[in-house]
Amino acid sequence: GEPSPLIHVAAKLDGAMWDFSIRDNGMGIDQENAKRIFDLFQRITNEGRPGSGVGLTICKKIVEKLGGRIWVESRLGSGSTFHFTVPCEPISVA
C-alpha cells in the first residue's frame, strides 16, 4: 500500500529573512506543474483528493504582501518541499 504520510516542518534564519520549509513524502510534482502550482485554480491532479486550487494562491499573496517569497522544490515520485520566506522585522501591510 501507500506509505504513511510524513511531514517535516523547519525554520532557519537566513540574513534578515526567516526561511520556513515544509517537506512531505507525497507524490511529488514534475517541473512543468511546479511552475504553475501557485496560479489560481491550478490543480496537479483530481484523483479523488479534495481542493479547489485556491490555497497556494492565497499563501503566495500573503507571503508576498509580507515581503517574502514562496516556491516548491520537487520531483515526481519523491515528495515535495515548499519554502516561504518572511522578514524578521515586522512590516506595515496597511
Side-chain angles (χ1 to χ4, degrees):
E2 286 188 33
S4 297
L6 296 174
I7 298 174
H8 180 263
V9 179
K12 68 178 180 178
L13 191 56
D14 186 8
M17 303 292 276
W18 280 104
D19 180 346
F20 291 87
S21 62
I22 301 94
R23 184 178 72 229
D24 67 36
N25 65 335
M27 65 183 184
I29 305 165
D30 63 46
Q31 290 295 330
E32 279 305 307
N33 285 317
K35 292 177 185 176
R36 65 183 182 88
I37 198 167
F38 296 97
D39 295 342
L40 190 59
F41 302 125
Q42 295 298 310
R43 298 196 55 210
I44 302 306
T45 181
N46 290 328
E47 296 175 3
R49 293 183 169 94
S52 62
V54 175
L56 288 174
T57 303
I58 293 170
C59 291
K60 182 179 179 186
K61 289 188 179 297
I62 292 169
V63 167
E64 289 177 349
K65 183 80 168 173
L66 293 172
R69 65 186 195 100
I70 189 169
W71 69 97
V72 64
E73 297 170 349
S74 186
R75 283 196 344 242
L76 199 56
S78 297
S80 302
T81 302
F82 287 84
H83 290 268
F84 70 92
T85 60
V86 291
C88 295
E89 297 296 321
I91 63 168
S92 173
V93 292

